[in-house]
Amino acid sequence: MQEKYIYSAVIKLIDKLGYLPLRDGSGQIPDIPGRKILANSTRGGLILVELIDADLLSLEEIQEILYFNQDRLKNIEKAGSYNFFEVFVFNGAADIDKLETIIAGQYKEVPNKKYLSCLTVDLSRKEIIKHFDIPKMPSDVFRELESTLSSDYEALNEMTDINELSQKKEKEYTLNYSANKATLTIGLIAINVAVWLMMMAYSTMKGVDYNIVLDIFGAKENISIMNGQYWRFLTPVFLHASMIHLMINCYSLYYVGMITEKLYGHKKFFIIYFAAGIFGNILSFMFSSNPGVGASGSIFGLLGALLYFGVENPVAFKRYFGYNVILTVVINIVYGFSQAGIDNYAHMGGLLGGFLTSGIVKLNEVSSKWLKRP
């Protein structure tokens, strides 16, 4: 019974939650009788879940496992949160001596966020007991352990190969970079700075107000566009209203551009960046009569590209970006509508333009018919 419960729980943790078996130096999953070890690397550390057939092991072997994992935790020097959960599975009520050993073998360093925490599973009573108060066990992990307990795991047909499933999931979780370095991102930041310095020099040397210089260099200005100066849909991408404006956009471009360029590659990044900027300025032209400058429309386009990446690769998107991209977009749009002087139409246009353009440049690599249609 324990073996089938552990097997079923492992399949669920791999398939639904992205936990992967620990591998040895040769890349193989160690075949340890009565034990399965899964891990999930997070942005802030590591969660390890070990399922153990407690009836199969002696008291001394259980002590050895706990002491070994305590040492592993103590020797971790890298900062972060490290949670090791030991799940001891019993066919019936836990042996008293083993239970006392399990409870005593727990370990925690609260300041350093290192925890070795134990649970016991009673298969006969279909009961899971947590023997710790902190840390808080991930609710999704506990939910899958409970759902396995309430399912008909004894009738499980062991057709799913854990190694094949984990290899498949590893491919889904992996970020495949199209470029090793984000050279265009650095280049665009350098161009933005150079253009700003050139405009400041022009303003100083000619004795012209900086706002007039912005118009001379190609700010989005509706009357001029209606008079045929259509290049003003592109040139505002390189212009900034102040040093603070420049610094914020350069930082944002660096933060978002580095990952986006590596994911999409240089050529596609180039197309997305400028298409989003143009699209943002078109939307601004349609709905705002105010002059506009800044790379923020293009930067929102890069966020749109990451959102489209989430459509094609939902598992990897959730694993590496979580909801940070969505939250960033929402916060910036809400902030934009609450503050005067922010061209939110350019932001939303850039976001939409980046998303749609990403769908176009990614068509050749998409197998889904649904994704090919847009």
Side-chain angles (χ1 to χ4, degrees), residues 5 84-88 90 94 99 102-104 106 116-122 126-143 145-146 149:
Y5 172 82
F84 290 7
F85 295 100
E86 305 292 325
V87 184
F88 294 91
F90 291 89
L99 183 59
I102 289 168
I103 294 172
Q106 298 181 108
L116 173 62
S117 309
C118 297
L119 304 88
T120 54
V121 179
D122 184 339
K126 295 187 179 295
E127 182 181 54
I128 302 178
I129 301 174
K130 291 188 284 187
H131 300 286
F132 55 91
D133 295 321
I134 55 172
K136 184 178 180 181
M137 186 177 194
S139 59
D140 51 0
V141 174
F142 193 76
R143 183 177 64 247
L145 293 176
E146 280 193 318
L149 195 60

Side-chain angles (χ1 to χ4, degrees), residues 174-187:
T174 302
L175 289 179
N176 296 312
Y177 292 131
S178 299
N180 294 324
K181 295 182 179 180
T183 51
L184 274 177
T185 298
I186 302 301

Side-chain angles (χ1 to χ4, degrees), residues 72-110:
R72 288 176 67 186
L73 277 173
K74 292 174 183 178
N75 292 324
I76 294 175
E77 296 180 355
K78 187 177 179 181
S81 176
Y82 296 90
N83 297 298
F84 290 7
F85 295 100
E86 305 292 325
V87 184
F88 294 91
V89 184
F90 291 89
N91 189 39
D95 177 270
I96 297 300
D97 292 335
K98 288 183 178 179
L99 183 59
E100 290 178 351
T101 299
I102 289 168
I103 294 172
Q106 298 181 108
Y107 176 79
K108 60 184 177 183
E109 291 181 30
V110 178

Side-chain angles (χ1 to χ4, degrees), residues 214-215 218-222 225 232-233 235-236 239 280-282 284-286 288-293 343:
L214 285 172
D215 183 63
K220 188 228 83 176
E221 203 280 312
N222 289 7
I225 292 173
R232 290 180 183 267
F233 287 129
T235 49
L239 310 180
N281 285 319
I282 289 174
S284 175
F285 168 75
M286 292 168 64
S288 173
S289 60
N290 297 322
V293 293
D343 193 346

Side-chain angles (χ1 to χ4, degrees), residues 214-267:
L214 285 172
D215 183 63
I216 294 172
F217 275 69
K220 188 228 83 176
E221 203 280 312
N222 289 7
I223 299 297
S224 299
I225 292 173
M226 287 188 284
N227 286 331
Q229 297 181 15
Y230 302 120
W231 60 82
R232 290 180 183 267
F233 287 129
L234 173 61
T235 49
V237 172
F238 299 102
L239 310 180
H240 292 87
S242 66
M243 179 183 286
I244 298 297
H245 188 205
L246 173 70
M247 291 174 63
I248 291 172
N249 275 354
C250 286
Y251 173 79
S252 301
L253 175 55
Y254 179 84
Y255 181 75
V256 183
M258 294 293 283
I259 184 65
T260 309
E261 185 176 353
K262 288 180 181 179
L263 285 174
Y264 282 85
H266 307 306
K267 292 181 181 179

